[in-house]
Amino acid sequence: MNLTFLIVEDEPITSRFIREIIEDQGFEVAGTAKSADEARSLLARHRIDIVIMDINIQGSTDGIQLVRGLSEYNLAVIYISAYSDSQTLQEAAGTHPYGFLVKPFKEADLIATLMMVVSKVRKEREGIEKSQQQEQFSECRLDEEACRLHWRSQIIELSKNETGALKLFLDKSDSPITMEELRHAVGGDKSIG
């Protein structure tokens, strides 16, 4: 699963530094923004997974205020800021960020933070996808004797082979199926091509 980043940073040198590091790690950067308006515009046009968010950006909306208004995007946020006073940290913590780096930071610090956040986001997304798959399978019931699949409000007539194959897929929905298992589910002890 490849993740896409957005950088919201109004200092061009810092923005370019962050972008180069992210891209060197093999990730895509959808764009960079200097203000809340630019960030919203990029979010509307691209699927973004992780945002590197400076707290002090151009315009009347700061980075924390911007993040508060982006809850519908399901973003992982890493704050960067030269300010690390208790009030700033408390306000930032209220938005549940995935990380916080104090400027100036080293390349190694950014890479370490990126790797931790990427790992966490991937694990969360895999859990969501697995949950959605299980939810889909929970909406169906296989009647093996009658060779019927009850899917939502539909009844689907199946052949004996289709029933065997579908039972195997439902039983092993979260693991790989070998050709041998599929042959056995469809043909039993018979040799099939």
Side-chain angles (χ1 to χ4, degrees), residues 55-161:
I55 291 177
N56 189 19
I57 56 177
Q58 291 179 5
S60 59
T61 303
D62 69 24
I64 296 172
Q65 293 167 332
L66 176 58
V67 169
R68 283 188 190 123
L70 299 176
S71 59
E72 73 272 14
Y73 288 101
N74 191 27
L75 301 167
V77 175
I78 302 170
Y79 284 114
I80 55 174
S81 179
Y83 303 101
S84 59
D85 58 277
S86 62
Q87 181 179 349
T88 300
L89 292 172
Q90 191 172 17
E91 285 181 39
T95 64
H96 310 289
Y98 283 58
F100 192 107
L101 286 169
V102 179
K103 291 180 181 179
F105 49 83
K106 297 176 186 165
E107 180 177 348
D109 296 334
L110 179 57
I111 291 171
T113 301
L114 290 175
M115 294 300 106
M116 296 301 113
V117 171
V118 163
S119 175
K120 185 174 182 178
V121 169
R122 282 182 172 154
K123 186 173 182 174
E124 288 173 354
R125 301 282 162 89
E126 287 169 3
I128 290 169
E129 288 173 9
K130 188 173 182 178
S131 172
Q132 289 171 341
Q133 288 173 349
Q134 288 172 344
E135 198 174 286
Q136 287 178 337
F137 283 127
S138 70
E139 295 179 21
C140 69
R141 183 177 60 82
L142 181 63
D143 182 347
E144 291 178 63
E145 289 180 23
C147 292
R148 289 187 183 132
L149 175 66
H150 298 265
W151 177 263
R152 297 183 179 145
S153 61
Q154 300 176 21
I155 298 175
I156 302 166
E157 299 290 333
L158 303 171
S159 71
K160 189 170 178 134
N161 288 346

Side-chain angles (χ1 to χ4, degrees), residues 32-75:
T32 58
K34 295 178 184 173
S35 67
D37 289 339
E38 287 180 16
R40 285 187 197 100
S41 175
L42 285 165
L43 284 162
R45 294 190 322 251
H46 301 280
R47 185 191 61 78
I48 307 293
D49 301 293
I50 302 172
V51 177
I52 309 292
M53 179 70 69
D54 186 13
I55 291 177
N56 189 19
I57 56 177
Q58 291 179 5
S60 59
T61 303
D62 69 24
I64 296 172
Q65 293 167 332
L66 176 58
V67 169
R68 283 188 190 123
L70 299 176
S71 59
E72 73 272 14
Y73 288 101
N74 191 27
L75 301 167

